[in-house]
Amino acid sequence: MTARVLGIELRRSTAAVLGALVAALGAAGLWVLALSRQTGLWDPQWTMLAAYQRIMLVLLWPLALGGGAWQARRERRCGTEELLGTTPTPPWRRALPSAVAMAGCLVLGYLAILAAGAVRVAGKTDYLPGDWLHIAAVGALTLVAAGWLGMGVGRLLPSACTPPVLVVAGFLVLLVPVQLSKSAEPGPASLLVPNLTTDLDEFTTVAGSVSQAQTLWFLGLAGSGLVLLMAARRRTAVTAPLPALLGLVLALPLLGAAPASGLQRDAGAAAEVCTHDGGPTVCVTKVHEQGLAELVGPARRALKLLAKLPAAPTSVHEVTGDRPGPQPTGEAWLHSDTYLPGRGWVTGSQDALVVRILAGAGTRPCEPIAHGPRAIAAAWLYGRYPAPGQDVMPGEEADARTAAWRKLRALPAEEQARRIAAVREAELDCRGDLAEVLTKGTR
């Protein structure tokens, strides 16, 4: 197949139009979220961008499937089906340029979506994980598989109804796992669909075994589409399921060993990046490395205030919600949800960031979160109530918190310090009723 033949195919087939349509719909799916300020679903991290593209395949994959079927009807639409059937050129040679053009345009369309999102992600994080490219590559492969499968089915059933039926059927098939994921634990079968059914956060990625299994499965599915498209006779089309079955057989053991959700923790994103300037250590997660310089000043101010307590912490660490306890006594922990890529530490001011670190006397929030005692501990360490960032609307909770603050301040200074230290001790290992600890000073 020469470049000239491929160029003619690109000009005369619907592949270029389909690729452009995929790119336009995908890019619009990314940027329409900007109108409602929801780009946080995909722009904080490269893995999230690649994963959100995979979520959009619930629409793009059926489109590629139907577009492939439409392309396969070209000879019948032009009235040249019988004429070309009398030529000595084998069917596979006539179909190959069209299949290559379809695959190339779909991949370029998918890459255009990636490029549309990359301009925003690149400015928000310095973390570049290695597996995001694999997640994106699998997504592109699934579109190729859809295009070729649609072409194969379209050649086998060259009816004008085939393309729209495939679009609707493909959408309904992909929609089922999405709905099931809302009410039940997903199983290995849900990982055989091209689209991801759950959102990722900055510290989550698709398990490597899942990406490998999906690669094998969709390679097999693409192979089945090619067999259908290039079969010389309809009788030989019965062999078309074999590549897909082979891919399925190879993929299922990998999916069985993967997490039920198909997701796992991204250890690289959660790895610590720390200061080394001789002052108290301040650490953030790798994915939030851009926020380290902004955190250093408030974190060290918080450590000075925490020094009022016995066995006071000497370092501040940003931690993710799934980091196991107990919390080391020498560390103050700041939850990672305090930082938003592109917006920084979303506390309103540096004073409010200091208070956020002081919450619970420098501890992570336990479940259930005792907001009142944690806020009172932060206010006591800061020196006033409400402390910056603690403004609350009037109500029963605010009244109860104010009453607890006044009772605490009415105690001797040593007793106040003892109770705040007890709050910290209780939160370090998440044991005890925090409200009772603040009231009595014991667990």
Side-chain angles (χ1 to χ4, degrees):
M1 180 177 59
T2 64
R4 177 174 173 272
V5 173
L6 184 58
I8 294 173
E9 188 65 36
L10 288 171
R11 290 196 301 272
R12 296 184 178 178
S13 74
T14 59
V17 175
L18 184 59
L21 188 58
V22 166
L25 288 178
L30 290 178
W31 285 95
V32 73
L33 294 177
L35 300 177
S36 55
R37 299 182 181 274
Q38 296 184 67
T39 51
L41 292 171
W42 59 266
D43 69 358
Q45 220 248 69
W46 291 101
T47 302
M48 293 179 67
L49 171 61
Y52 196 78
Q53 276 190 270
R54 294 284 299 278
I55 291 174
M56 290 192 295
L57 285 173
V58 71
L59 297 176
L60 301 181
W61 203 85
L63 176 64
L65 189 67
W70 179 263
Q71 170 62 25
R73 295 189 64 254
R74 179 177 58 178
E75 294 176 3
R76 175 161 291 196
R77 290 198 308 272
C78 298
T80 60
E81 187 176 25
E82 292 185 5
L83 175 63
L84 293 174
T86 62
T87 64
T89 305
W92 69 266
R93 185 171 293 178
R94 297 201 309 269
L96 184 59
S98 182
V100 172
M102 179 64 67
C105 290
L106 287 174
V107 170
L108 288 175
Y110 198 75
L111 291 178
I113 302 172
L114 191 65
V119 297
R120 189 174 179 97
V121 179
K124 289 199 169 187
T125 180
D126 295 327
Y127 176 58
L128 191 63
D131 55 355
W132 77 278
L133 285 175
H134 197 178
I135 298 171
V138 172
L141 173 61
T142 68
L143 277 185
V144 174
W148 285 356
L149 186 62
M151 293 177 74
V153 174
R155 183 175 182 272
L156 187 66
L157 304 171
S159 167
C161 297
T162 300
V165 167
L166 285 181
V167 171
V168 174
F171 176 71
L172 292 177
V173 168
L174 299 189
L175 194 62
V176 170
V178 176
Q179 296 301 318
L180 289 178
S181 67
K182 297 177 180 179
S183 58
E185 184 71 16
S190 67
L191 301 177
L192 293 175
V193 295
N195 56 304
L196 295 179
T197 58
T198 55
D199 294 332
L200 274 70
D201 60 27
E202 298 166 272
F203 305 100
T204 309
T205 187
V206 177
S209 59
V210 172
S211 292
Q212 294 168 9
Q214 290 175 338
T215 299
L216 294 171
W217 162 236
F218 284 105
L219 281 174
L221 203 60
S224 290
L226 280 182
V227 172
L228 277 177
L229 178 63
M230 299 181 179
R233 297 179 179 86
R234 294 201 176 202
R235 287 176 297 178
T236 60
V238 298
T239 62
L242 294 179
L245 288 175
L246 177 60
L248 183 62
V249 169
L250 296 175
L252 284 179
L254 293 171
L255 294 179
S261 65
L263 308 178
Q264 66 182 19
R265 188 171 186 265
D266 186 348
E272 286 192 330
V273 178
C274 302
T275 57
H276 299 283
D277 57 0
T281 301
V282 180
C283 300
V284 296
T285 57
K286 177 63 179 178
V287 75
H288 293 164
E289 185 175 2
Q290 289 186 348
L292 178 58
E294 184 184 351
L295 179 63
V296 170
R300 289 176 176 171
R301 283 177 57 195
L303 289 175
K304 289 180 179 179
L305 295 171
L306 284 164
K308 303 174 185 177
L309 304 177
T314 57
S315 60
V316 173
H317 300 257
E318 182 201 1
V319 297
T320 59
D322 61 350
R323 180 164 175 175
Q327 178 179 337
T329 57
E331 296 179 3
W333 281 7
L334 176 65
H335 199 283
S336 58
D337 63 4
T338 311
Y339 185 87
L340 290 180
R343 292 179 57 189
W345 302 96
V346 289
T347 51
S349 68
Q350 289 203 338
D351 288 336
L353 182 54
V354 171
V355 174
R356 181 69 69 92
I357 299 170
L358 295 176
T363 57
R364 58 173 180 177
C366 300
E367 293 292 343
I369 301 176
H371 293 286
R374 290 181 58 81
I376 289 173
W380 185 87
L381 289 162
Y382 189 81
R384 66 181 172 89
Y385 176 83
Q390 288 187 347
D391 297 333
V392 293
M393 297 297 293
E396 292 185 7
E397 182 182 350
D399 293 342
R401 192 180 299 181
T402 301
W405 167 257
R406 289 172 177 169
K407 289 179 181 179
L408 177 67
R409 295 296 289 175
L411 298 171
E414 291 183 359
E415 178 62 16
Q416 293 179 38
R418 189 183 71 82
R419 294 194 180 188
I420 298 301
V423 167
R424 174 172 170 79
E425 184 181 352
E427 287 285 85
L428 287 175
D429 55 11
C430 290
R431 293 172 57 191
D433 183 337
L434 210 59
E436 184 176 350
V437 170
L438 183 64
T439 302
K440 298 179 180 180
T442 57
R443 286 195 280 182

